[in-house]
Amino acid sequence: MSVAPKRENYDVVVIGAGPAGLAAAATSAEAGLSTLLLDENIGPGGQVFRAISSTPVTERNQLGADYWVGADLVQSLRASNAEVIQRATVWSLDRNLDIAVSIGGASAFVKAKRVILATGALERPFPIPGWTLPGVMTAGAAQTMLKSSGLVPDGRTVIAGQGPLLWLLAAQILRLGGRIDRILDTTQRGNYFAALPHAFAFLTSPYFAKGLSMMREVKAKVQVVSGVTELAASGDGQLASVSYVAGSKRETIPADLLLLHQGVVPNVNLAMSAGIEHRWDDLQLCWSPVLDASGNSSVAGIAIAGDGAGIGGANAAVVRGRIAARAAVEALAPAAAAKLPAMATLRSDLAKAERGRVFLDTLFRPAPQFRIPSGDTIVCRCEEVTAKGVLDSVAIGATGPNQLKAYRRTGMGPCQGRLCGLTVTELMAQARGKTPQEIGYYRLRAPVKPITLAELAAVPKSEADVKAVVRG
Amino acid sequence: MFKRSEQDKRPQVQIFVDGVAVAARQGDTVSAALLASGVDARRSTAVSGAPRLPYCMMGVCFDCLVTIDGVGNRQGCLVPVAEGMRIEIQKGKREIGK
């Protein structure tokens, strides 16, 4: 099944087949550029349109109209000449636009004139006591199973956190006949006031009416507790209960499944490993790449589109994909760009798609106690390092995330910091009285996903390569 | 923890989990099939031996690590099931030769 890329050189290589990647690859191929789309998943769609070509959920209203938009994007891609490879894990991208990709246990190497990174977002870490227990998952994980396998929770289920995805997931679980016992809303009360000045833009965005009706749909069926200020999972080798504090009252409820969610953040690993400059975003509380209006990064030839460029949602991701692809066409085949929608039109589409985002970012800004844990709460899931462990290391001289690796191995496990990086930065910043920007992030390097030594050893090598490492 | 929707009409695929036959559906990932099966699919971590189940289901957390057809440390959430696939719940580190 696994097929290596047909060529060694492409005009454009797009990495990630979510909303941005689908749109970018189709646009670039339609303009006549040789285009390769590499994606790690079984099928196209990314997270928002996961399993769009294969979902067993056939009752369309259960997933919602916004989901099925993905089918049109996939159709446009298939109608184009873009070469698409699924289950292709890109593990290296460098300044020369050389790409290493693992497909079916073997690595292939391609070179691009332009790279469009569309690696999207991942869920923000939610480091509460007990979050590593079996039975605690992300809301996105439950949504993935729902879309790709028609699976819904049927044990005692608690959903905790905040943000639009949480309500969408709850509505989808209920529509498919799943069980939700309680929703614990961690939105800070003060956020409602802070978000108020941005409310007008949101009221006029399409998200407003949809969001409101979804919340009504869920609240009619599930007990929702708002103003949750503390949260913990406990159990012996398996989740048994969830305890929380709301309005200074503590409550503990039995649970088999706890789904956590406090927003999404850019998936920066591949971009950072290519040396692309990122800055700390004080509103979205995450690292975002420094980009120009066409998505071009600090590394010549690499653009970033979609949520990897800063969280903007699926509609914005599609437009950002088209903008990045149009910019690539303008650079490589200016005459062909005339066939595509004008840049001014695309930019106005983007402004429309991003309307209301500041309101959402402000309203759903996660509370400090859910981002910066303390005591025995695990920060790094892979190496099982606690908040206390990190702070003890700071006390004896660890200055930032990269020094901390030598003290505790944080970020050195298989996830390569994806589940602890933001927590470590904010925790160390707080402990040292610095800003996250000053504290910095892990220095990320290829391979950005683990590959076996056997796969590396099987890579074709020249005589010069061998000479460089063999003595005598 | 999870049940299948009745509208799911995908054909069954048989996999083996630690030698025991388990019914999955075509298009399931290994992790989804394990979570749907009701078998105890908890792996134990390499560092402390703590029990874990998949956390993110999208390829970023590595808590779904599992041995598939004799190869250890595979991300079960990224691999689709296939007829006759042999899954071993991984206890501790990946072993040499796996």
Side-chain angles (χ1 to χ4, degrees):
Chain A
M1 272 294 281
S2 38
V3 181
K6 288 184 186 140
R7 321 156 49 131
E8 286 178 3
N9 295 281
Y10 291 87
D11 291 327
V12 176
V13 175
V14 180
I15 302 170
L22 289 169
T27 303
S28 152
E30 273 163 27
L33 299 186
S34 61
T35 305
L36 173 67
L37 173 57
L38 298 169
D39 184 69
E40 188 173 37
N41 286 295
I42 297 170
Q47 307 311 323
V48 168
F49 306 132
R50 180 173 279 277
I52 188 73
S53 311
S54 63
T55 181
V57 182
T58 46
E59 289 174 39
R60 293 175 73 91
N61 61 331
Q62 292 186 336
L63 292 174
D66 288 345
Y67 175 74
W68 296 104
V69 169
D72 298 336
L73 285 170
V74 171
Q75 202 169 6
S76 307
L77 176 74
R78 296 222 163 115
S80 79
N81 285 325
E83 182 182 336
V84 183
I85 307 179
Q86 297 291 153
R87 299 192 65 201
T89 301
V90 173
W91 56 265
S92 179
L93 164 67
D94 67 18
R95 290 174 168 274
N96 301 320
L97 311 193
D98 282 320
I99 296 161
V101 56
S102 175
I103 302 166
S107 281
F109 300 83
V110 292
K111 196 176 177 65
K113 288 184 187 148
R114 290 263 161 167
V115 172
I116 299 175
L117 285 181
T119 51
L122 50 87
E123 285 174 279
R124 176 188 296 283
F126 206 141
I128 57 164
W131 73 308
T132 53
L133 280 170
V136 182
M137 303 179 87
T138 68
Q143 202 188 32
T144 290
M145 285 191 285
L146 184 148
K147 289 172 182 170
S148 58
S149 283
L151 287 165
V152 284
D154 72 340
R156 294 165 300 185
T157 301
V158 177
I159 302 182
Q162 59 191 35
L165 175 71
L166 191 145
W167 296 99
L168 173 61
L169 170 71
Q172 289 171 334
I173 289 174
L174 295 171
R175 290 173 201 159
L176 267 87
R179 173 171 170 177
I180 305 170
D181 293 70
R182 205 166 293 187
I183 293 177
L184 306 176
D185 186 342
T186 58
T187 312
Q188 294 186 91
R189 301 229 189 260
N191 286 7
Y192 289 94
F193 300 104
L196 210 54
H198 310 290
F200 180 74
F202 182 69
L203 293 176
T204 55
S205 86
Y207 291 113
F208 172 66
K210 280 185 217 163
L212 206 63
S213 85
M214 217 151 51
M215 284 171 82
R216 273 203 209 106
E217 178 186 345
V218 172
K219 283 180 173 171
K221 291 181 181 154
V222 181
Q223 184 188 346
V224 178
V225 180
S226 58
V228 170
T229 53
E230 274 181 53
L231 191 61
S234 53
D236 183 11
Q238 183 80 41
L239 176 70
S241 64
V242 175
S243 65
Y244 63 92
V245 173
S248 71
K249 194 173 139 234
R250 180 174 295 277
E251 199 164 340
T252 301
I253 51 174
D256 303 303
L257 181 64
L258 170 62
L259 302 174
L260 296 172
H261 179 78
Q262 53 177 352
V264 298
V265 293
N267 185 357
V268 296
N269 283 53
L270 188 59
M272 278 195 182
S273 75
I276 289 168
E277 187 189 354
H278 285 66
R279 306 285 300 173
W280 180 261
D281 182 330
D282 273 319
L283 177 60
Q284 296 194 338
L285 298 168
C286 59
W287 299 102
S288 287
V290 177
L291 303 173
D292 72 11
S294 299
N296 293 307
S297 74
S298 64
V299 174
I302 305 181
I304 305 184
D307 273 355
I311 303 305
N315 294 345
V318 169
V319 187
R320 286 176 185 173
R322 289 186 181 133
I323 288 174
R326 194 195 148 98
V329 174
E330 284 172 5
L332 300 177
K339 285 194 245 172
L340 303 173
M343 204 55 121
T345 312
L346 292 172
R347 291 205 210 288
S348 116
D349 289 350
L350 182 60
K352 213 178 290 171
E354 287 178 338
R355 191 186 291 164
R357 178 55 48 181
V358 178
F359 174 82
L360 291 173
D361 288 342
T362 311
L363 178 61
F364 294 124
R365 186 184 168 91
Q369 70 270 27
F370 296 124
R371 309 195 317 266
I372 307 172
S374 58
D376 290 334
T377 301
I378 283 182
V379 169
C380 168
R381 298 172 62 97
C382 295
E383 298 295 332
E384 302 182 48
V385 182
T386 64
K388 182 176 178 299
V390 174
L391 295 178
D392 287 350
S393 303
V394 170
I396 57 169
T399 53
N402 293 302
Q403 290 75 28
L404 188 65
K405 290 183 195 174
Y407 287 73
R408 298 280 168 173
R409 287 193 49 83
T410 41
M412 296 179 76
C415 99
Q416 305 188 10
R418 289 170 174 91
L419 273 287
C420 71
L422 290 173
T423 313
V424 163
T425 291
E426 286 210 277
L427 185 58
M428 293 188 92
Q430 189 184 58
R432 299 198 55 231
K434 305 266 187 193
T435 64
Q437 180 67 39
E438 288 168 324
I439 288 290
Y441 195 67
Y442 296 129
R443 174 77 172 84
L444 298 170
R445 294 178 182 87
V448 297
K449 291 288 287 261
I451 52 168
T452 63
L453 278 172
E455 183 169 336
L456 265 187
V459 164
K461 37 201 166 291
S462 69
E463 208 170 309
D465 296 334
V466 176
K467 237 179 199 167
V469 292
V470 175
R471 196 180 300 193
Chain B
M1 225 185 295
F2 292 91
K3 67 172 181 187
R4 292 196 186 272
S5 163
E6 285 163 12
Q7 61 190 302
D8 180 1
K9 300 287 186 275
R10 295 172 300 161
Q12 279 205 355
V13 173
Q14 192 179 51
I15 60 171
F16 296 91
V17 181
D18 288 332
V20 178
V22 164
R25 301 278 174 96
Q26 202 173 76
D28 279 350
T29 60
V30 167
S31 297
L34 288 173
L35 288 165
S37 71
V39 304
D40 182 359
R42 292 176 297 175
R43 73 175 182 107
S44 58
T45 62
V47 176
S48 74
R52 295 274 176 92
L53 280 178
Y55 178 71
C56 79
M57 294 298 281
M58 55 171 279
V60 295
C61 81
F62 290 77
D63 263 327
C64 63
L65 291 181
V66 68
T67 300
I68 300 175
D69 289 334
V71 181
N73 273 3
R74 304 289 308 276
Q75 287 184 278
C77 75
L78 294 178
V79 179
V81 293
E83 187 66 36
M85 189 178 252
R86 297 186 325 281
I87 315 288
E88 292 162 71
I89 306 302
Q90 200 172 311
K91 301 293 183 190
K93 292 187 181 74
R94 178 184 186 185
E95 293 164 37
I96 290 175
K98 268 194 183 174

